[in-house]
């Protein structure tokens, strides 16, 4: 078992919070130190008996494990303990099943559930009555009983259909992305550990009214709002699902259509809850997932949120902002730094365009920040801030460019 997969007091506290988020009432935890899990029952025989005694003493009806269990381990544990057994992935999938509201979110969660359930169909679910809706027992939400008792071929067909529908979602996102690029509207994506305060920050910056509660995975469905940085610059600000350690790979795969937006964002705002004693580990988890999704090269501002709850020396640096999304303190500096980051690599130029170059003027109005346009006898004089790509197309119209070429390149 790798260090990332190994459980400790911190991950068990997080599991406790996840159980509460799902609607359970956790009563106790149990840790075992082993070099590797028991292949038969995950825990050693003595620890299984100790857990069984705890369950009977506390009259529990559910045992939740912080690690992933194989189907055979889960069956052995259920038979031995006499209660339902759920692993961390199943618990997170259950929470997502409660929180998905848009059609895309529901499709993504359902696909992840089927991929998780497929190897567990044989003998594991025959005694459970699975129901849809949030009133169902924890770990049993999602596809109905009839669907789960069908043969594997039907389940695989359902997985294929869901995959095809999500591929269509990806194509639609690609079309929308091209339209944004055509309109030169930069995209800024909020990323961070679950409950870091991303939705609260989105609300603060854009005036949106997204539910922002102090609980894990409060936001599942992606929300995008316009944010005006100044009189000439506007961006699309997107909230994303929160990350967490040991994030189930079924979810990462199913949510690729959503999460791949990070690769195409112009800037990432990595929101970090600095009031959490484990913020450094949480930030590391998010950085690793960003890299896993292929977005490690995207410019990133590290946003240290909940600074009003933090006592100590605050982080500082060029690409660092400390703020309180709840009070609004520090958000003006965030807007300034975000604007500056988007402007990196841009150049302010003064051009003299012949009247025959009307198409280039149109490009400037679409793709650049035009500061001034004067129509003179010699041509159209334009002062603008341009991106490097556009600079290559207009540099020939900079008066005296040949003489100062070395200064520009």
């Amino acid at each position: 078992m790798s260090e990332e997969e190994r459980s400790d007091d911190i991950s068990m506290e997080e599991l406790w919070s996840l159980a509460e988020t799902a609607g359970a009432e956790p009563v106790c935890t149990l840790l075992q130190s082993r070099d590797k899990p028991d292949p038969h029952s995950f825990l050693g025989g003595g620890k299984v008996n100790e857990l069984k005694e705890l369950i009977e003493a506390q009259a529990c009806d559910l045992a939740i494990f912080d690690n992933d269990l194989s189907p055979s381990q889960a069956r052995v544990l259920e038979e031995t303990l006499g209660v339902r057994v759920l692993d961390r992935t199943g618990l997170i999938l259950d929470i997502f099943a409660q929180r998905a509201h848009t059609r895309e979110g529901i499709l993504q969660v359902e696909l992840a559930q089927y991929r998780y359930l497929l190897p567990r169909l044989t003998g594991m679910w025959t005694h459970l009555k699975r129901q849809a809706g949030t009133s169902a027992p924890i770990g049993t939400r999602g596809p109905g009983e009839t669907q789960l008792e069908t043969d594997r071929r039907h389940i695989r067909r359902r997985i294929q259909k869901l995959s095809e529908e999500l591929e269509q979602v990806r194509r639609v996102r690609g079309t929308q992305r091209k339209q944004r690029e055509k309109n030169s509207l930069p995209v800024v994506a909020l990323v961070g550990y679950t409950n870091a305060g991303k939705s609260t920050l989105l609300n603060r910056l854009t005036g949106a009214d997204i539910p922002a509660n102090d609980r894990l995975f409060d936001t599942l469905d992606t929300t995008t709002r316009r944010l005006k940085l100044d009189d000439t610059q506007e961006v699309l600000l997107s909230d994303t699902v929160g990350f967490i350690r040991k994030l189930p790979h079924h979810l990462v795969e199913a949510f690729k259509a959503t999460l791949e937006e990070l690769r195409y964002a112009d800037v990432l705002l990595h929101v970090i809850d600095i009031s959490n004693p484990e913020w450094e580990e949480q930030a590391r988890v998010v950085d690793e997932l960003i890299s896993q999704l292929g977005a490690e090269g995207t410019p990133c501002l590290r946003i240290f949120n909940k600074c009003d709850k933090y006592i100590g020396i605050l982080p500082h640096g060029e690409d660092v902002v400390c703020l309180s999304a709840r009070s609004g303190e520090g958000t003006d500096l965030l807007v300034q730094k975000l604007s500056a980051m988007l402007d990196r690599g841009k150049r302010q130029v003064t051009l003299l365009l012949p009247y025959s170059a009307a198409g280039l003027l149109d490009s400037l109005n679409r793709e650049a920040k035009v500061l001034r346009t004067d129509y003179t006898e010699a041509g159209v004089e334009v002062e603008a801030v341009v991106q490097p790509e556009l600079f290559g197309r207009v540099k020939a119209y900079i008066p005296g460019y040949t003489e100062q070429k070395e200064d520009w390149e």
Side-chain angles (χ1 to χ4, degrees):
M1 183 182 296
S2 68
E3 288 301 319
E4 289 78 9
E5 296 172 327
R6 193 176 296 276
S7 295
D8 53 26
D9 290 336
I10 295 167
S11 67
M12 292 300 287
E13 286 179 15
E14 190 171 81
L15 186 70
W16 186 290
S17 297
L18 286 168
E20 290 180 325
T21 298
E25 296 180 6
V27 293
C28 60
T29 60
L30 185 66
L31 267 172
Q32 179 176 34
S33 178
R34 289 177 64 98
D35 291 334
K36 58 183 179 180
D38 185 294
H40 179 65
S41 57
F42 189 76
L43 299 174
K47 212 65 173 180
V48 172
N49 290 333
E50 184 181 344
L51 178 57
K52 183 177 176 63
E53 291 174 2
L54 269 176
I55 288 171
E56 292 173 350
Q58 299 287 345
C60 299
D61 58 5
L62 175 66
I64 304 175
F65 284 72
D66 191 41
N67 303 86
D68 283 345
L69 302 174
S70 70
S72 61
Q73 287 172 337
R75 284 196 294 272
V76 167
L77 286 167
E78 286 198 340
E79 291 169 1
T80 306
L81 299 175
V83 296
R84 289 187 301 114
V85 168
L86 194 63
D87 62 15
R88 186 183 180 96
T89 291
L91 179 62
I92 293 176
L93 286 172
D94 188 88
I95 294 170
F96 272 51
Q98 297 181 52
R99 301 287 167 80
H101 299 297
T102 65
R103 172 160 175 73
E104 180 185 358
I106 292 169
L107 285 173
Q108 289 169 324
V109 173
E110 188 178 356
L111 176 60
Q113 285 182 312
Y114 273 123
R115 284 175 171 165
Y116 173 76
L117 293 174
L118 183 58
R120 293 167 169 81
L121 287 175
T122 306
M124 185 174 179
W125 303 98
T126 54
H127 63 296
L128 297 180
K129 181 181 180 183
R130 296 183 61 83
Q131 305 171 17
T134 57
S135 62
I138 296 168
T140 66
R141 298 179 181 91
E145 181 183 14
T146 303
Q147 291 167 302
L148 283 177
E149 290 175 352
T150 7
D151 63 353
R152 292 176 182 272
R153 285 180 298 176
H154 175 81
I155 301 296
R156 290 194 179 101
R157 282 197 298 268
R158 183 62 183 151
I159 288 175
Q160 182 179 354
K161 187 175 188 320
L162 289 166
S163 299
E164 290 170 355
E165 290 186 54
L166 284 172
E167 183 58 35
Q168 177 60 28
V169 170
R170 185 174 294 186
R171 285 194 290 268
V172 170
R173 284 186 179 276
T175 302
Q176 293 171 340
R177 191 181 304 119
K178 288 178 182 177
Q179 187 62 39
R180 290 198 303 261
E181 292 170 354
K182 181 179 178 182
N183 295 335
S184 295
L185 209 55
V187 176
V188 178
L190 288 162
V191 298
Y193 209 78
T194 181
N195 204 31
K198 298 182 298 299
S199 296
T200 302
L201 184 57
L202 178 74
N203 289 341
R204 171 64 60 181
L205 292 173
T206 67
D209 191 22
I210 309 303
N213 302 303
D214 186 19
R215 59 182 186 177
L216 303 180
F217 294 119
D218 194 52
T219 299
L220 178 55
D221 299 310
T222 301
T223 302
T224 302
R225 294 289 186 272
R226 288 175 178 261
L227 170 62
K228 193 170 185 178
L229 299 179
D230 53 42
D231 291 338
T232 59
Q233 192 169 34
E234 190 175 38
V235 300
L236 290 176
L237 184 62
S238 289
D239 195 3
T240 60
V241 61
F243 294 155
I244 197 169
R245 56 169 63 85
K246 305 179 189 177
L247 188 66
H249 72 273
H250 301 284
L251 279 176
V252 176
E253 284 296 314
F255 276 71
K256 268 190 175 177
T258 301
L259 294 174
E260 75 171 2
E261 288 290 294
L262 300 183
R263 286 196 294 139
Y264 297 98
D266 295 276
V267 174
L268 301 181
L269 299 185
H270 180 175
V271 182
I272 301 166
D273 175 6
I274 196 172
S275 71
N276 191 307
E278 297 301 314
W279 71 262
E280 290 180 279
E281 171 63 15
Q282 293 181 351
R284 184 194 64 78
V285 169
V286 174
D287 286 336
E288 285 189 359
L289 284 165
I290 288 173
S291 179
Q292 180 184 338
L293 293 164
E296 68 275 15
T298 304
C300 181
L301 274 175
R302 292 172 81 84
I303 311 300
F304 289 91
N305 188 28
K306 307 185 185 181
C307 288
D308 50 335
K309 298 181 179 179
Y310 179 74
I311 299 175
I313 300 174
L314 291 170
H316 59 278
E318 182 182 5
D319 295 335
V320 169
V321 179
C322 296
L323 54 76
S324 168
R326 192 164 296 282
S327 71
E329 181 182 359
T331 51
D332 288 343
L333 178 60
L334 166 58
V335 171
Q336 292 172 17
K337 289 206 172 189
L338 176 56
S339 181
M341 180 170 276
L342 288 167
D343 281 340
R344 285 180 193 172
K346 293 182 179 179
R347 297 173 173 178
Q348 185 167 330
V349 297
T350 300
L351 310 169
L352 184 61
L353 302 176
Y355 284 101
S356 59
L360 200 52
L361 182 59
D362 288 342
S363 295
L364 284 165
N365 285 323
R366 286 197 313 270
E367 302 173 33
K369 183 189 292 187
V370 176
L371 306 175
R372 176 177 60 85
T373 305
D374 293 328
Y375 293 86
T376 69
E377 290 185 5
V380 184
E381 191 172 287
V382 181
E383 187 176 355
V385 178
V386 298
Q387 294 276 11
E389 309 81 43
L390 185 56
F391 173 75
R393 288 154 51 194
V394 302
K395 61 185 180 182
Y397 297 99
I398 300 173
Y401 171 75
T402 302
E403 289 75 14
Q404 55 178 301
K405 187 171 183 179
E406 294 301 321
D407 294 334
W408 280 98
E409 297 188 337

